[in-house]
Amino acid sequence: ALFKPNTVVYTICFGTGKPRYVKYDFGEEKTTNNGVEYFYLECRYVDFDSTVFKETFIELAILKFRGTKKINFLDVFPFEYHPSKDEIKANLVECAEFAVVDIVDISWNPAAFAQLAIPSKQKEVIQAHAEAHISRGSNYTFDSFVIKNIVSTAHALATRKGTRVTIAHLEVAIAAGEDFECDFKGAGQVGNRSSIPRDALITRIQDACSPFYAILRNTETRDTVKPRAGPPPKIQITLETRSGNKTVTKVSGVEIFGVEPRLLAEELQRSCASSTSVGQLVGSSPRNPVMEVLVQGPQREAVIKTLERRGVRREWVEVLDKTKTGKGRG
């Protein structure tokens, strides 16, 4: 992968036009409301607000392009690929008002930590949480540090069991955090501005997550199929009126579910006792065409039942009925 967590990346500051390098945390493919596709990057860097130094998040983007492009021609790219990285780094250090070598990382005091009179198992968990906090910095709000820490704990639990992260793992991580907070603050002290009800926290975590989906075929498993970003696709069924009062049913988007359009057309021809045809969907790419099955008559339920026999659930199908006033969806 070109971008890995904690990779130092190079870009240009929009305000000053000067070079800037930041640390990459997370990235995913996105699309604007205008249909522009781009790669979204969430990064962080140290900033000074005239009082304290603290980590600040920054959002960057790389517009989708065709063909190939040199890495150092991208708007954002790993700093190690910059042809003049030594000169750039020297200029950045010269602009700073402090020496980076003078900053010392936070470290543990083993003697003091050893004096804590608590069970050893709890000590291990406390140390793991504290080390994660130190590695991320201390200037984090509830939404950034606590939520990320809970998700990291849930991920660790799932990894140990060899499964994917579920709500159950999140609940265990949240419960552990509540227990520690109660132990150290005392009963009745949990509930300040940094706490939140468990159900609300789970909802917030889910809302902050990006949707991914995976379609499994035959003997495939979740471990062998790489999830794709975005909401799961749906098969489109459209009912239209042609030649006055004749209704036709059009079906598209079946290929991604492993359904062959021509075989589907043959099966619908038999089950509906109606003529069918297969053609390229208007607007689809000639290089990677999406085919459309056309069935004579209002065959909505017949099509859905045929798809269900092939393993396609009803909720994966979207129906657009243009024969009704208002063009309702079903």
Side-chain angles (χ1 to χ4, degrees):
L2 183 61
F3 294 100
K4 297 180 180 180
N6 289 321
T7 297
V8 176
V9 298
Y10 172 86
T11 186
I12 297 294
C13 179
F14 293 108
T16 64
K18 294 182 178 181
R20 163 187 281 171
Y21 60 87
V22 297
K23 278 195 173 182
Y24 168 81
D25 276 342
F26 167 77
E28 64 177 328
E29 294 181 0
K30 288 188 176 184
T31 304
T32 67
N33 294 333
N34 298 327
V36 178
E37 298 181 32
Y38 65 99
F39 184 72
Y40 164 86
L41 302 93
E42 181 180 297
C43 305
R44 53 190 166 87
Y45 64 98
V46 176
D47 196 12
F48 183 62
D49 63 359
S50 74
T51 303
V52 295
F53 287 97
K54 62 180 180 179
E55 278 194 337
T56 303
F57 285 100
I58 183 173
E59 297 177 350
L60 303 173
I62 302 175
L63 296 179
K64 187 175 182 179
F65 57 88
R66 291 186 177 182
T68 59
K69 183 182 289 189
K70 290 185 178 180
I71 293 178
N72 60 329
F73 279 28
L74 299 173
D75 293 331
V76 186
F77 60 88
F79 184 62
E80 62 178 308
Y81 294 106
H82 197 288
S84 306
K85 62 178 182 180
D86 293 336
E87 181 182 351
I88 296 288
K89 188 173 183 179
N91 290 336
L92 287 171
V93 173
E94 184 179 352
C95 293
E97 296 181 354
F98 64 95
V100 176
V101 294
D102 291 338
I103 298 179
V104 180
D105 291 334
I106 299 175
S107 58
W108 281 97
N109 183 332
F113 185 68
Q115 297 301 317
L116 290 177
I118 56 177
S120 59
K121 184 174 292 186
Q122 288 191 13
K123 275 185 146 182
E124 293 177 1
V125 179
I126 293 170
Q127 186 167 1
H129 280 274
E131 289 176 348
H133 184 75
I134 292 172
S135 65
R136 297 290 300 172
S138 59
N139 294 309
Y140 275 80
T141 62
F142 181 87
D143 287 333
S144 57
F145 170 68
V146 177
I147 289 181
K148 288 182 179 180
N149 200 28
I150 289 173
V151 173
S152 297
T153 304
H155 184 268
L157 291 171
T159 301
R160 291 187 63 184
K161 295 182 179 180
T163 63
R164 293 181 179 270
V165 178
T166 65
I167 294 296
H169 296 124
L170 290 172
E171 289 179 340
V172 171
I174 293 171
E178 290 176 346
D179 290 342
F180 285 126
E181 188 175 6
C182 184
D183 289 342
F184 284 96
K185 291 186 177 181
Q189 297 301 314
V190 181
N192 58 17
R193 61 183 179 87
S194 65
S195 61
I196 185 173
R198 181 179 300 185
D199 293 342
L201 178 56
I202 293 178
T203 300
R204 186 176 297 184
I205 293 174
Q206 290 177 318
D207 292 341
C209 294
S210 299
F212 282 78
Y213 72 92
I215 298 177
L216 310 182
R217 303 185 181 92
N218 300 327
T219 58
E220 293 177 337
T221 65
R222 290 184 177 181
D223 296 328
T224 60
V225 177
K226 183 179 179 180
R228 297 183 179 181
K234 290 188 176 182
I235 293 176
Q236 300 291 324
I237 298 179
T238 305
L239 282 73
E240 293 182 349
T241 300
R242 293 185 177 180
S243 302
N245 59 353
K246 292 184 178 179
T247 301
V248 296
T249 304
K250 300 190 297 184
V251 188
S252 61
V254 299
E255 294 93 336
I256 195 170
F257 291 92
V259 179
E260 167 58 44
R262 298 190 183 279
L263 296 179
L264 176 63
E266 294 175 3
E267 186 173 349
L268 290 173
Q269 185 178 20
R270 294 191 298 269
S271 61
C272 300
S274 181
S275 61
T276 61
S277 62
V278 180
Q280 183 175 331
L281 180 67
V282 177
S284 65
S285 170
R287 294 184 178 181
N288 189 22
V290 176
M291 306 306 291
E292 181 180 69
V293 178
L294 188 146
V295 189
Q296 297 293 331
Q299 308 293 352
R300 165 181 173 169
E301 287 302 318
V303 171
I304 292 178
K305 290 180 180 179
T306 301
L307 292 172
E308 287 179 330
R309 287 196 295 270
R310 292 173 174 264
V312 179
R313 297 178 184 176
R314 185 176 290 261
E315 58 263 31
W316 299 342
V317 178
E318 185 176 49
V319 179
L320 176 60
D321 191 348
K322 294 183 178 181
T323 65
K324 298 180 180 180
T325 304
K327 301 180 181 181
R329 291 181 180 267

